[in-house]
Amino acid sequence: MEIMYVNKSEKELKTTAFYGDVLDLVNMGVDIEGIEFDDNWTVKKFLSITPFAKKRIENVFKYLDLDTKYLNVKIKDLSKVIYKYVLLSHAILNNKRVIIFERFDVGLSNKEKKNMVQIMKKLLNDGITIILITKDLIFANQVCENIIVIKNKKEVFNGTIEDLIKEKKNIIDKPPILKFIDAANKKNAGLQITLDHKELLKDIFREVV
């Protein structure tokens, strides 16, 4: 399930990327709650809309740039992307303050990822804590400063994403941009380590000029 909540945790949680599995979070003492529903429910029924809540639903859908036409669609008939947004709307409507995004980026196009990053930044500005379970380091880096890496049920790294990539710890699958930089630097390119493609292009231009 792409969206879950945190009921309580044995230690204070802050917005972080999590390179592991949701069960690893449970083993760390995080009490997690999923979302229950029937695929045959309409989105309207799933969100338990009442006349008093109608305006709030509309505001949340506007916040997520989600068309209210989906309220009358059955959950099983939603596209994968809209389904993700509906789950997120449920979390917001239920005032969840710590939201777990489990592999939420999977299946999203680059454009959809950019839109999701902007929404996550709005959530952060509104005081929501985000736990982002993902293997996409570039996506994570746009939302989170810190990352926890779990291997074989053991914590092997807990720090900033910047430190993780600069220390060149071989504990995660490197994204293509880091592989490119490593290969170029072996040929004395002198490129700076970065996950930002725009910064990489600027660096390449500086080296060429």
Side-chain angles (χ1 to χ4, degrees):
M1 183 174 289
E2 287 89 345
I3 291 286
M4 287 171 280
Y5 318 136
V6 173
N7 286 323
K8 61 181 179 179
S9 173
E10 293 179 0
K11 56 184 178 181
E12 183 179 356
L13 296 174
K14 61 181 178 180
T15 291
T16 188
F18 196 79
Y19 198 96
D21 188 87
V22 67
L23 291 179
D24 294 319
L25 276 174
V26 174
N27 292 334
M28 291 171 61
V30 180
D31 182 14
I32 296 172
E33 178 184 351
I35 305 174
E36 296 183 358
F37 57 86
D38 188 312
D39 281 344
N40 287 305
W41 288 352
T42 62
V43 172
K44 181 186 293 185
K45 181 175 181 178
F46 170 55
L47 298 178
S48 301
I49 294 180
T50 66
F52 304 101
K54 183 179 178 182
K55 186 62 179 178
R56 186 155 179 261
I57 297 284
E58 291 175 351
N59 289 337
V60 169
F61 272 44
K62 184 177 180 179
Y63 182 91
L64 298 176
D65 196 22
L66 190 61
D67 198 314
T68 53
K69 70 180 182 182
Y70 293 112
L71 289 172
N72 296 314
V73 178
K74 289 185 177 181
I75 294 176
K76 67 179 183 181
D77 295 327
L78 297 172
S79 70
K80 290 183 179 179
V81 174
I82 299 301
Y83 168 74
K84 293 173 187 281
Y85 278 83
V86 167
L87 290 181
L88 180 54
S89 70
H90 185 277
I92 296 172
L93 287 165
N94 283 277
N95 298 313
K96 301 301 181 181
R97 307 307 296 172
V98 182
I99 303 176
I100 300 172
F101 292 78
E102 183 190 21
R103 313 279 187 248
F104 201 81
D105 51 293
V106 175
L108 297 182
S109 66
N110 288 332
K111 180 179 179 180
E112 289 161 347
K113 285 183 180 180
K114 288 180 180 179
N115 290 338
M116 196 63 240
V117 166
Q118 295 308 310
I119 289 173
M120 287 182 173
K121 287 181 177 179
K122 285 199 294 184
L123 291 171
L124 293 176
N125 288 335
D126 290 336
I128 303 296
T129 297
I130 291 175
I131 307 296
L132 186 61
I133 301 177
T134 181
K135 293 292 181 70
D136 187 336
L137 203 59
I138 294 176
F139 180 68
N141 190 54
Q142 296 176 77
V143 180
C144 308
E145 179 180 348
N146 297 293
I147 185 169
I148 296 174
V149 181
I150 303 293
K151 288 284 188 177
N152 298 320
K153 300 182 179 180
K154 293 183 179 180
E155 183 179 300
V156 295
F157 185 85
N158 188 337
T160 67
I161 294 177
E162 181 180 8
D163 284 344
L164 176 64
I165 63 174
K166 287 187 175 180
E167 291 175 19
K168 297 184 178 180
K169 292 181 178 293
N170 295 318
I171 55 178
I172 62 168
D173 298 323
K174 287 187 177 181
I177 186 173
L178 292 184
K179 292 180 180 179
F180 173 84
I181 292 171
D182 285 346
N185 285 343
K186 286 180 180 178
K187 297 182 179 180
N188 301 316
L191 301 177
Q192 298 296 312
I193 303 298
T194 182
L195 289 172
D196 189 322
H197 288 85
K198 291 182 180 179
E199 289 301 317
L200 174 59
L201 289 174
K202 289 179 184 178
D203 202 16
I204 291 173
F205 180 76
R206 285 192 292 267
E207 290 297 320
V208 171
V209 174

